[in-house]
Amino acid sequence: MRHPLIAITLAFITASAWADNLLSERAGFTTVLTEQQKITEAMPHPPAEIFKVVQYDSEIGPMSAYLSQHQLAENEKRPAIIWLTGGFPTSSPGEYLWTEIDVDNEQSARVYRNYGIVMMHPTLRGGTKGNPGVVEQFYGEVNDVISAAKYLKSLDYIDPNRIYLGGHSTGGTLALLVAQATDMFAGVIALGPSSDHYGKKRANFEWQDKEIYLRSPRNFMSYINTPTYIVEGEQGRAANIKDFEQQLAAKPNDKVTTALIKGADHFNLIHSINTLFANAIVSSKSGALSIDVNKQLIPAYLTYVKKVQETTDLRILANLRSQGVVLDGKQAVESYYYARSQKPLNVIAQQAKAQGMSASAITEKTAKDGSVFYMASMSKSIDISSLAEVFAASKAFKTLADEQELYYDYWTLASQ
């Protein structure tokens, strides 16, 4: 007798042999939901100069969306992007989409509209008051996003050849599934997506093989016919990138580019990577999207990190000056490092000394929860009036911490 799991696997392989996209894979299958999840809160009303609320037609009825507002020249055609925010449910409405927040966690992707790209934030089935249907977690929502793209394409001021799709976290996961279902986008940007579904505890559908299979982007990488970029930070959910790369190694697809950004996490890469893509979209009159990971994408993140670091350094200097500290001449600056064991602190002490720094003795501390940790400081004498020396010392302190993955205080004057 054939083993049931083998039979299921063979069924998937047989179906895949005949399918040409994710929608074909799903043909004839009806998802079974174990919970009827529906958001009953109304969409917050956006500032009129930033967004207006529109309705787009889906296969199950009209859905609400935010659409960015721009001053348009006569007969002008703009590029557009659908952006899917993360969390559950995916692409939820909210004031966070127009509220200015720190670029370390800029999930609204506002840089696209700042570049003059028309942005659409669609809500999806069951995702807000008034929307038909219920939350299906990466199933019917694929069709909703396709419907939203058709709405954008119908607008006379949108260039139909320059409509893009992007998303972060669960939004990135859904963006990948959409890319596997249609080739109507000029490019797809998936930041921090999952290669599989998010686990049984999250699932609101019947927990069985085909339900999971049809919601997992890792299974359908060969169906992507649009330039697609999958990006995650090394300190984020790196295992997902490795899983995607394994799938692509087994069955290559030159339309898909993966990137694991060293030093980045799941959130702080969003702004810099989106800035790079926004610039590429505006610059590409044909709609083609081509980004080199090593020459463009990674340097974009490193440039962002440098700006953030230097901005923090300037704030520290401003704070010292507000306290009446004279910022002139040679002064010792120091930074404190914290670790669960002494070994990494010994390592960075040696590295610091090789760079002309001084290292303090390692001291043992007890946290509020009773756990033990260790602390040491590194210091260096610099001309505090020279921004170049301040920035260089700050970078050196940060590099020591990053190489050993340690928490550290930025820096202050040793006498403070």
Side-chain angles (χ1 to χ4, degrees):
M1 179 180 290
R2 181 182 292 176
H3 192 281
L5 288 179
I6 295 175
I8 290 170
T9 302
L10 289 174
F12 290 167
I13 293 171
T14 302
S16 298
W18 295 100
D20 58 4
N21 62 31
L22 177 58
L23 297 184
S24 300
E25 287 271 6
R26 292 178 171 184
F29 181 80
T30 301
T31 186
V32 177
L33 301 179
T34 56
E35 296 179 46
Q36 301 291 302
Q37 298 177 351
K38 192 174 183 71
I39 304 301
T40 57
E41 291 83 5
M43 291 176 66
H45 195 72
E49 70 277 12
I50 299 179
F51 290 111
K52 71 175 179 180
V53 176
V54 298
Q55 299 283 312
Y56 70 94
D57 291 327
S58 76
E59 62 185 8
I60 62 171
M63 305 277 188
S64 297
Y66 293 120
L67 187 68
S68 64
Q69 299 299 285
H70 306 268
Q71 293 293 324
L72 300 168
E74 187 176 358
N75 298 321
E76 183 180 5
K77 298 283 188 180
R78 289 281 181 102
I81 186 168
I82 291 174
W83 187 260
L84 307 172
T85 53
F88 291 87
T90 300
S91 201
S92 295
E95 294 181 0
Y96 71 97
L97 293 173
W98 55 82
T99 302
E100 295 283 332
I101 61 172
D102 194 274
V103 293
D104 273 353
N105 186 13
E106 213 301 276
Q107 296 186 45
S108 74
R110 67 175 183 264
V111 65
Y112 291 105
R113 57 181 169 84
N114 289 346
Y115 267 68
I117 299 165
V118 177
M119 287 196 79
M120 185 179 187
H121 293 283
T123 61
L124 310 172
R125 57 188 62 197
T128 192
K129 183 178 181 180
N131 278 14
V134 295
V135 175
E136 296 183 8
Q137 286 193 12
F138 312 103
Y139 201 81
E141 291 88 351
V142 170
N143 302 68
D144 298 341
V145 176
I146 293 172
S147 295
K150 290 177 180 177
Y151 170 85
L152 273 181
K153 202 169 185 178
S154 73
L155 300 177
D156 59 7
Y157 60 91
I158 299 298
D159 185 340
N161 297 314
R162 299 168 71 199
I163 299 176
Y164 303 84
L165 173 64
H168 172 251
S169 200
T170 64
T173 303
L174 181 55
L176 280 183
L177 290 168
V178 174
Q180 294 162 352
T182 180
D183 59 1
M184 69 186 301
F185 294 97
V188 177
I189 304 146
L191 306 184
S194 176
S195 58
D196 277 312
H197 195 266
Y198 287 81
K200 189 174 183 178
K201 289 183 178 180
R202 283 279 191 187
N204 69 336
F205 54 86
E206 189 174 273
W207 193 253
Q208 54 102 333
D209 288 345
K210 193 162 187 180
E211 292 275 15
I212 301 165
Y213 175 79
L214 292 175
R215 287 173 164 86
S216 301
R218 70 189 303 275
N219 299 319
F220 311 107
M221 300 303 289
S222 63
Y223 291 158
I224 296 176
N225 292 314
T226 296
T228 297
Y229 297 83
I230 306 174
V231 186
E232 177 61 286
E234 184 184 44
Q235 297 173 20
R237 300 162 186 172
N240 288 304
I241 292 290
K242 294 175 182 177
D243 190 12
F244 285 126
E245 290 175 345
Q246 287 177 355
Q247 304 306 314
L248 292 167
K251 197 169 185 179
N253 184 345
D254 61 7
K255 295 290 186 181
V256 182
T257 301
T258 62
L260 190 62
I261 310 299
K262 185 177 180 180
D265 61 33
H266 188 62
F267 299 99
N268 69 0
L269 57 73
I270 301 174
H271 183 72
S272 60
I273 302 306
N274 279 339
T275 301
L276 174 67
F277 278 103
N279 185 64
I281 288 170
V282 169
S283 302
S284 176
K285 301 306 179 185
S286 67
L289 196 59
S290 178
I291 300 292
D292 186 284
V293 170
N294 293 317
K295 293 181 180 179
Q296 294 174 277
L297 197 146
I298 293 175
Y301 174 73
L302 293 176
T303 298
Y304 155 79
V305 168
K306 183 174 183 288
K307 288 180 179 178
V308 171
Q309 183 80 22
E310 292 180 354
T311 299
T312 302
D313 296 335
L314 292 172
R315 288 173 180 167
I316 293 172
L317 287 170
N319 186 52
L320 289 170
R321 186 171 184 178
S322 71
Q323 296 173 23
V325 177
V326 177
L327 301 175
D328 191 25
K330 284 280 185 180
Q331 297 193 45
V333 293
E334 68 180 353
S335 183
Y336 285 84
Y337 299 81
Y338 307 88
R340 289 296 180 186
S341 69
Q342 295 190 47
K343 183 177 179 180
L345 294 177
N346 284 323
V347 172
I348 67 169
Q350 293 302 314
Q351 294 172 337
K353 289 175 181 177
Q355 297 177 40
M357 297 183 189
S358 298
S360 73
I362 298 172
T363 57
E364 182 178 308
K365 302 286 184 178
T366 302
K368 290 182 179 179
D369 63 1
S371 61
V372 173
F373 67 96
Y374 299 88
M375 180 180 74
S377 67
M378 312 297 151
S379 62
K380 186 173 185 177
S381 181
I382 64 169
D383 179 357
I384 197 68
S385 64
S386 167
L387 285 181
E389 289 196 33
V390 170
F391 292 158
S394 179
K395 182 180 178 181
F397 289 143
K398 182 179 187 301
T399 300
L400 289 174
D402 288 347
E403 288 179 351
Q404 295 297 318
E405 298 182 355
L406 298 179
Y407 177 80
Y408 83 112
D409 292 334
Y410 270 79
W411 62 268
T412 189
L413 294 183
S415 59
Q416 299 299 304

